[in-house]
């Protein structure tokens, strides 16, 4: 049974993450929102601390902390790396989402490596920073439409294609690239490859200017006859048309709860700041009285907070399931859908409730409303999560329900 209190052993991590968020992230939040594309050097020290937490096996507050240990013996209820990482991520994103996305060695590629790499690869890529490149100019939500190719040639695969909107694409040491071994064989032929910076034929073309998470670098990458050693393929090279996408898609079961956690964190930040402003303005939120008997602003606040609670609980559930080796694809998509939308609704709702202060750069509310939108887009949009949930609940395949 899931226990909804923060597990005792995660409390230290949560406190440390909260401290880092308030003492490191918050003070530089506005500075790097304005200085788009500039690396926040203040993160270097903190990154070393996170490395320590991740190698302790108890998770941390970044993507590198997630791993599903399929071979562990069932020993009852387990609060492991996924739950700890989600709890840490919530705290860090209470501080600043873009800063967490800019943390060295905590990229989504690290989560892919942590999720599906073999022991030799885990060791070889330990301590490096890895981005994740799926999206292409002609392929976003429909990741089965990937056109980047990987052609076998002796001890190497030769990669050709273009990837767009790659988070940490410029700063990371490597990129986990999704490419097809054979376009005619569809989804099953899509594999992921770790491509290290400096590999001939791998080029960062440009950085994007964005609405939010402006401290995070988002890159366009090109692969032109880029030769990648065979041992950099993650998972199995076999093309099993019966299993389809299973290998590469497995990463999402671990990363979607993480993105949901980012959304929960930024929503909580906005709620806390708004409650403070409401109190200052003489509006008390009373939890013992029905919402409809309170000030309209308090009633609105209570509705936003209820949505936040639902998102928070779904997020914890999906991570807890991953730790307890329960299939969590449905819950991971539910959490991502609910939390992504809630972060957008809550942060914009808080901008409204705070009036002119909410819209001005005097507070961080306007920034949070810009930062939150991406959490409803990457790692699968709101609509795609709903599609996945519907397929799972109705027992339909991706070709039956598109
Ligand atoms: C800041 C930022 C960072 C990113 N980081 C990364 C990264 O690190 N790595 C990476 O690989 N990608 C990354 N992305 C890309 C992101 O994952 C894609 O933008 C996302 O998957 C959507 O793809 P798309 O933009 O091509 O939209 P499309 O797939 O073209 O979708 C457009 C709209 O149509 C909707 N839609 C599509 N199909 C359906 C359907 N079947 N039913 C109903 N509605 C549908 C979508 O929900 C969306 O609203 C990033 C994007 C941004 C903006």
């Amino acid at each position: 049974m899931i226990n909804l209190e923060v597990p005792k052993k995660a409390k230290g991590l949560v406190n440390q993450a909260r401290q880092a968020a308030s003492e490191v992230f918050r003070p530089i939040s506005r500075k790097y929102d304005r200085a788009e594309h500039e690396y926040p050097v203040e993160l270097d020290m903190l990154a070393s601390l996170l490395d320590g937490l991740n190698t302790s096996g108890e998770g941390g507050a970044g993507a590198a902390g997630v791993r599903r240990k399929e071979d562990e013996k069932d020993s009852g209820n387990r609060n492991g790396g996924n739950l700890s990482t989600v709890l840490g991520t919530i705290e860090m994103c209470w501080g600043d989402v873009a800063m967490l996305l800019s943390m060295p060695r905590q990229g989504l590629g690290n989560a892919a490596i942590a999720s599906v790499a073999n022991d030799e690869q885990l060791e070889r890529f330990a301590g490096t920073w890895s981005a994740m490149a799926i999206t292409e100019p002609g392929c976003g939500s429909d990741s089965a439409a990937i056109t980047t190719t990987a052609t076998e040639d002796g001890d190497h695969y030769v990669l050709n294609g273009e990837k767009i909107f790659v988070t940490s694409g410029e700063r990371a040491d490597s990129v986990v690239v999704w490419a097809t071994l054979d376009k005619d064989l569809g989804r099953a032929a899509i594999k992921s490859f770790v491509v290290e910076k400096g590999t001939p034929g791998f080029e960062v073309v440009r950085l994007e200017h964005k609405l939010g998470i402006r401290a995070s670098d988002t890159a366009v990458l090109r692969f032109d006859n880029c030769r990648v050693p065979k041992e950099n393929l993650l998972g199995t090279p076999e093309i099993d048309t019966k299993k389809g996408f299973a290998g590469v898609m497995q990463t999402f079961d671990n990363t979607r709860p993480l993105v949901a956690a980012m959304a929960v964190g930024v929503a909580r930040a906005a709620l806390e700041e708004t409650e403070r402003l409401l109190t200052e303005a003489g509006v008390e939120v009373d939890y013992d009285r029905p919402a409809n008997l309170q000030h309209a602003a308090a009633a609105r606040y209570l509705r936003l907070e209820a949505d936040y609670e639902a998102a928070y609980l779904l997020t914890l559930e999906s991570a807890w399931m991953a730790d307890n080796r329960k299939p969590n694809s449905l819950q991971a998509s539910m959490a991502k859908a609910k939390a992504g939308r809630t972060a957008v609704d809550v942060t914009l709702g808080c901008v409204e409730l705070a009036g002119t202060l909410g819209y001005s750069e005097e507070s961080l509310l306007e920034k949070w409303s810009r930062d939150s939108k991406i959490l409803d887009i990457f790692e699968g949009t709101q609509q795609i999560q709903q599609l996945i949930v519907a397929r799972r609940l109705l027992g339909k395949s991706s070709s039956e329900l598109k």
Side-chain angles (χ1 to χ4, degrees):
M1 258 279 277
I2 183 168
N3 177 347
L4 297 172
E5 286 185 15
V6 173
K8 234 192 246 149
K9 74 173 185 183
K11 281 193 175 145
L13 168 93
V14 167
N15 289 341
Q16 273 181 315
R18 179 70 167 217
Q19 201 182 346
S22 68
E23 288 173 19
V24 183
F25 285 6
R26 281 278 179 100
I28 56 173
S29 206
R30 181 64 76 188
K31 173 180 163 193
Y32 288 102
D33 181 46
R34 292 190 181 127
E36 195 178 17
H37 299 161
E38 205 176 292
Y39 171 67
V41 286
E42 292 87 343
L43 301 184
D44 283 345
M45 268 255 298
L46 194 56
S48 311
L49 181 78
L50 267 193
D51 289 343
L53 288 171
N54 284 329
T55 47
S56 73
E58 295 303 337
V66 297
R67 178 137 178 100
R68 195 177 281 242
K69 294 178 181 145
E70 301 294 348
D71 47 352
E72 266 180 3
K73 291 236 158 44
D74 201 344
S75 57
N77 186 10
R78 182 183 296 119
N79 295 316
N82 286 276
L83 188 65
S84 302
T85 303
V86 152
L87 289 168
T89 298
I90 291 174
E91 298 307 321
M92 300 290 254
C93 290
W94 170 90
D96 191 297
V97 175
M99 292 297 156
L100 182 71
L101 290 170
S102 303
M103 287 294 290
R105 300 177 288 283
Q106 308 298 328
L108 288 172
N110 289 98
I113 293 170
S115 300
V116 291
N118 60 34
D119 289 345
E120 182 276 323
Q121 291 168 328
L122 273 182
E123 201 175 313
R124 194 153 41 93
F125 298 122
T128 62
W129 184 359
S130 194
M132 178 88 150
I134 304 170
T135 309
E136 299 179 356
C139 135
S141 297
D142 182 11
S143 34
I146 275 171
T147 60
T148 297
T149 52
T151 313
E152 210 173 330
D153 182 22
D155 294 340
H156 288 77
Y157 289 102
V158 182
L159 265 58
N160 279 291
E162 185 173 280
K163 295 288 177 183
I164 59 170
F165 280 88
V166 180
T167 300
S168 307
E170 188 189 43
R171 296 172 188 161
D173 305 310
S174 70
V175 182
V176 173
V177 180
W178 285 29
T180 174
L181 290 177
D182 185 341
K183 273 189 215 159
D184 295 336
L185 292 180
R187 295 158 186 268
I190 295 175
K191 303 286 172 186
S192 51
F193 304 82
V194 183
V195 185
E196 289 168 271
K197 279 282 161 62
T199 308
F202 172 14
E203 183 198 355
V204 177
V205 180
R206 63 163 199 277
L207 297 178
E208 301 290 350
H209 296 284
K210 310 189 297 290
L211 170 77
I213 57 160
R214 291 157 65 92
S216 163
D217 63 317
T218 309
V220 174
L221 310 178
R222 187 175 299 133
F223 302 91
D224 184 9
N225 285 323
C226 176
R227 292 177 71 80
V228 180
K230 271 196 168 158
E231 55 272 19
N232 283 19
L233 184 148
L234 296 175
T236 162
E238 268 83 60
I239 303 175
D240 181 348
T241 43
K242 283 198 201 87
K243 267 196 161 174
F245 235 3
V248 283
M249 294 302 269
Q250 195 184 323
T251 309
F252 287 137
D253 298 342
N254 287 4
T255 53
R256 285 180 176 152
L258 270 188
V259 177
M262 295 176 197
V264 167
V266 69
R268 183 189 285 172
L271 285 170
E272 282 182 15
E273 177 64 3
T274 303
E275 188 171 18
R276 193 184 65 76
L277 292 171
L278 288 178
T279 308
E280 251 177 40
V283 177
E284 286 298 333
V285 179
D286 185 346
Y287 291 93
D288 295 326
R289 279 196 310 146
N292 63 335
L293 296 181
Q294 299 191 43
H295 191 291
R300 175 88 194 280
Y301 182 89
L302 283 167
R303 277 199 300 275
L304 294 176
E305 204 180 41
D307 259 348
Y308 158 81
E309 289 280 346
Y312 174 69
L313 295 178
L314 281 168
T315 303
L316 294 199
E317 182 190 29
S318 60
W320 178 87
M321 289 178 79
D323 281 337
N324 286 275
R325 292 179 290 125
K326 296 179 189 295
N328 73 334
S329 300
L330 170 67
Q331 288 75 11
S333 284
M334 281 180 165
K336 167 78 170 69
K338 179 69 185 171
R341 183 168 33 180
T342 296
V344 173
D345 289 350
V346 164
T347 51
L348 270 177
C350 289
V351 164
E352 267 173 41
L353 283 171
T356 50
L357 189 54
Y359 204 78
S360 95
E361 285 196 4
E362 254 179 78
S363 100
L364 287 168
L365 286 168
E366 65 80 29
K367 177 182 181 301
W368 293 332
S369 75
R370 289 185 284 110
D371 286 350
S372 59
K373 186 62 207 175
I374 188 56
L375 305 171
D376 206 23
I377 296 176
F378 66 11
E379 294 296 289
T381 64
Q382 174 66 220
Q383 292 76 13
I384 294 304
Q385 303 305 336
Q386 292 199 26
L387 198 55
I388 294 169
V389 170
R391 279 183 199 141
R392 296 251 163 205
L393 293 179
L394 300 172
K396 303 267 186 208
S397 68
S398 50
S399 53
E400 288 168 323
L401 196 60
K402 314 188 189 193

